[in-house]
Amino acid sequence: MSEQNTNHESIDQNISHDNVSHDNVVHEESILEETLKEFDPQNNSGEESVIENDINLDTFKARIAELEGEVKQAKESTARANAETYNAQKRIEQEADKSKRFALQKFAKELLEVVDNLERAIESAHADDPVTEGVRLTHKALLDVLNKNGVEMVDPQGEKFNADFHEAVGIDPEAEADMVGTVLQKGYSLNGRLLRPAMVRVGQ
């Protein structure tokens, strides 16, 4: 019994001694800080060098500048392509709109001959003739249809002569200078574009 107690006391003393030994170890720096210092090229030189600092920064800077130039060039190319696409799209839209607006130009111009014939029939017919009223209604209905499709009448009676919309075919001695005296044939426009000029006599 006495020997067992002696052995236990000896073991306890050894454990106590080991604890004291570990407690006396002082870690002034953390493991992370030690590792960073160990692999820092500035703290390693000669035979104790762990990492050789053989990185050429100028090479990396040149490569970065080269890549930045390529990125800039790609952006400029993309911007030009987008601009060309936008312009092409606008041109197509304008051409489509123009084609749509003036698709009826030839057809409307041919219908003007029908309008002229109806007007001549009205002028030469008797006012009390029942047929004349039917012709007037037909003439009015045709003009309404043309007007709904963008065809407008150019009747410059009493207006100043305008070479863009009027065609002078004679002199009217009773009209003032540069003023339309007599309208021989009315003109028509389609969506602002002249289909045919008005034939007029102008004062001198």
Side-chain angles (χ1 to χ4, degrees), residues 3-38:
E3 290 180 0
Q4 292 178 352
N5 291 335
T6 302
N7 292 334
H8 283 299
E9 291 176 358
S10 176
I11 292 172
D12 292 338
Q13 289 177 358
N14 289 335
I15 293 173
S16 176
H17 177 71
D18 291 340
N19 290 336
V20 171
S21 297
H22 285 295
D23 291 340
N24 289 334
V25 176
V26 179
H27 293 281
E28 295 180 354
E29 296 179 342
S30 68
I31 295 176
L32 177 60
E33 292 174 340
E34 292 177 356
T35 303
L36 290 175
K37 283 188 176 182
E38 180 181 357

Side-chain angles (χ1 to χ4, degrees), residues 103-123:
L104 296 176
Q105 181 171 343
K106 183 178 180 181
F107 179 67
K109 196 170 183 178
E110 292 178 352
L111 282 180
L112 296 182
E113 296 181 6
V114 179
V115 175
D116 293 338
N117 291 333
L118 292 174
E119 290 178 349
R120 293 190 189 98
I122 293 171
E123 291 174 358

Side-chain angles (χ1 to χ4, degrees), residues 76-118:
E76 292 176 351
S77 299
T78 302
R80 285 195 296 269
N82 290 338
E84 291 175 359
T85 302
Y86 177 81
N87 292 333
Q89 181 180 357
K90 288 300 179 183
R91 284 194 296 270
I92 292 173
E93 291 177 355
Q94 290 174 357
E95 290 298 327
D97 181 64
K98 186 184 295 184
S99 299
K100 181 179 178 181
R101 289 175 59 193
F102 301 109
L104 296 176
Q105 181 171 343
K106 183 178 180 181
F107 179 67
K109 196 170 183 178
E110 292 178 352
L111 282 180
L112 296 182
E113 296 181 6
V114 179
V115 175
D116 293 338
N117 291 333
L118 292 174

Side-chain angles (χ1 to χ4, degrees), residues 62-80:
R63 181 54 178 162
I64 291 172
E66 182 180 352
L67 293 174
E68 288 177 345
E70 292 177 358
V71 171
K72 182 179 179 181
Q73 184 176 2
K75 288 182 177 179
E76 292 176 351
S77 299
T78 302
R80 285 195 296 269

Side-chain angles (χ1 to χ4, degrees), residues 23-201:
D23 291 340
N24 289 334
V25 176
V26 179
H27 293 281
E28 295 180 354
E29 296 179 342
S30 68
I31 295 176
L32 177 60
E33 292 174 340
E34 292 177 356
T35 303
L36 290 175
K37 283 188 176 182
E38 180 181 357
F39 284 91
D40 188 351
Q42 294 181 355
N43 296 332
N44 294 275
S45 60
E47 296 179 354
E48 297 180 356
S49 177
V50 177
I51 298 178
E52 296 182 359
N53 187 11
D54 57 352
I55 299 175
N56 189 341
L57 294 180
D58 291 338
T59 301
F60 281 94
K61 290 179 180 178
R63 181 54 178 162
I64 291 172
E66 182 180 352
L67 293 174
E68 288 177 345
E70 292 177 358
V71 171
K72 182 179 179 181
Q73 184 176 2
K75 288 182 177 179
E76 292 176 351
S77 299
T78 302
R80 285 195 296 269
N82 290 338
E84 291 175 359
T85 302
Y86 177 81
N87 292 333
Q89 181 180 357
K90 288 300 179 183
R91 284 194 296 270
I92 292 173
E93 291 177 355
Q94 290 174 357
E95 290 298 327
D97 181 64
K98 186 184 295 184
S99 299
K100 181 179 178 181
R101 289 175 59 193
F102 301 109
L104 296 176
Q105 181 171 343
K106 183 178 180 181
F107 179 67
K109 196 170 183 178
E110 292 178 352
L111 282 180
L112 296 182
E113 296 181 6
V114 179
V115 175
D116 293 338
N117 291 333
L118 292 174
E119 290 178 349
R120 293 190 189 98
I122 293 171
E123 291 174 358
S124 61
H126 296 287
D128 56 352
D129 189 344
V131 177
T132 305
E133 184 62 23
V135 174
R136 287 197 182 95
L137 293 175
T138 302
H139 176 259
K140 182 178 182 303
L142 182 56
L143 290 179
D144 289 341
V145 172
L146 290 172
N147 188 256
K148 288 179 181 178
N149 287 276
V151 178
E152 296 181 355
M153 182 186 296
V154 179
D155 187 1
Q157 182 71 48
E159 297 178 0
K160 187 175 181 180
F161 177 77
N162 185 346
D164 293 333
F165 294 96
H166 313 149
E167 181 180 353
V169 294
I171 302 299
D172 190 335
E174 297 182 1
E176 298 180 7
D178 294 330
M179 300 296 291
V180 175
T182 306
V183 178
L184 301 177
Q185 186 182 65
K186 297 182 181 67
Y188 290 89
S189 64
L190 174 61
N191 293 319
R193 175 184 288 185
L194 189 65
L195 279 176
R196 77 176 188 191
M199 297 175 63
V200 299
R201 290 196 180 104

